[in-house]
């Protein structure tokens, strides 16, 4: 008799995947005019910042450089793309298709501290990396404290009243 490890979250994750699939199928059929409704998948993104830039990393494996459309307009960064299904294999030969294909759209509000002229994008190992440089005035400045050149502060002298 084999011992199976019980995972209490396995059923919850299975239910979540089924619900996500149900909602995506429902929104896909609602009309072709709305970009968000026709998105076949939404790639996950990590956003972090340091003192010089804000970086976004989108997980979009299996795509080519020309499949991306990245724009910055009116303090909004938009990333659009399309992951195409390989037509060389017949669909009836597949036992299972779990990867999502089609178009995606992500929009991010860019803070005023970002210079929209200095945006770099690179794609490596299935990760699209977008770097937004901060403006010079938004970068932290270190203020040097000088030691020993300041005059000591004198304490106010207490007034003495003559004894009456």
């Amino acid at each position: 008799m084999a011992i199976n490890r019980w995972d209490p979250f396995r059923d919850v994750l299975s239910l979540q995947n089924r619900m996500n699939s149900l909602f995506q199928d429902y929104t896909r059929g609602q009309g072709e005019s709305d970009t968000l409704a026709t998105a076949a998948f939404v790639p996950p993104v990590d956003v972090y910042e340091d003192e010089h830039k804000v970086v976004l990393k989108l997980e979009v494996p299996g795509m080519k450089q020309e499949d991306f459309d990245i724009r910055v307009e009116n303090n909004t960064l938009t990333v659009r793309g399309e992951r195409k299904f390989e037509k060389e294999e017949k669909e009836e030969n597949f036992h299972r298709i779990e990867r999502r294909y089609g178009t995606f759209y992500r929009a991010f509000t860019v803070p005023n501290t970002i210079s929209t002229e200095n945006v770099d994008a690179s794609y490596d190992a299935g990760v699209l990396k977008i770097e937004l440089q901060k403006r010079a005035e938004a970068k932290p400045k270190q203020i040097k404290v000088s030691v020993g050149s300041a005059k000591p502060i004198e304490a106010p002298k207490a007034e003495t009243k003559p004894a009456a």
Side-chain angles (χ1 to χ4, degrees):
M1 176 184 201
I3 298 176
N4 291 329
R5 183 176 295 244
W6 181 65
D7 182 8
F9 298 107
R10 181 178 51 218
D11 294 333
V12 174
L13 291 174
S14 176
L15 177 63
Q16 180 183 8
N17 288 337
R18 288 180 184 172
M19 293 298 290
N20 287 343
S21 178
L22 177 70
F23 284 120
Q24 286 176 347
D25 291 343
Y26 175 75
T27 58
R28 202 174 297 136
Q30 291 300 311
E32 299 299 320
S33 62
D34 187 9
T35 308
L36 291 176
T38 60
F41 71 102
V42 178
V45 63
D46 294 337
V47 180
Y48 64 92
E49 108 178 74
D50 62 18
E51 58 193 30
H52 301 292
K53 63 186 175 287
V54 173
V55 179
L56 292 89
K57 289 185 176 181
L58 284 89
E59 195 174 286
V60 283
M63 296 183 65
K64 297 178 184 164
Q65 178 181 351
E66 58 268 10
D67 294 335
F68 299 110
D69 180 21
I70 303 167
R71 297 175 189 227
V72 179
E73 298 178 62
N74 300 327
N75 288 345
T76 303
L77 170 72
T78 58
V79 182
R80 297 174 194 259
E82 181 176 6
R83 184 162 52 192
K84 298 175 181 145
F85 186 74
E86 296 90 17
K87 299 282 186 191
E88 59 219 31
E89 306 204 18
K90 296 180 181 177
E91 284 189 49
E92 57 264 11
N93 290 338
F94 281 95
H95 293 278
R96 196 173 186 135
I97 298 176
E98 292 186 351
R99 294 175 53 204
R100 295 288 180 188
Y101 297 94
T103 60
F104 70 87
Y105 170 83
R106 296 295 305 260
F108 306 92
T109 302
V110 177
N112 292 331
T113 58
I114 298 296
S115 171
T116 56
E117 288 82 32
N118 296 328
V119 179
D120 296 318
S122 60
Y123 182 65
D124 184 38
V127 177
L128 175 65
K129 182 178 181 180
I130 303 170
E131 295 183 358
L132 305 151
Q133 299 295 324
K134 290 185 178 180
R135 296 177 193 235
E137 61 267 13
K139 293 181 184 178
K141 296 176 186 172
Q142 186 171 2
I143 300 170
K144 197 170 195 176
V145 177
S146 51
V147 178
S149 64
K151 294 182 180 180
I153 301 175
E154 294 182 21
K157 295 182 182 180
E159 292 183 25
T160 57
K161 293 184 181 178

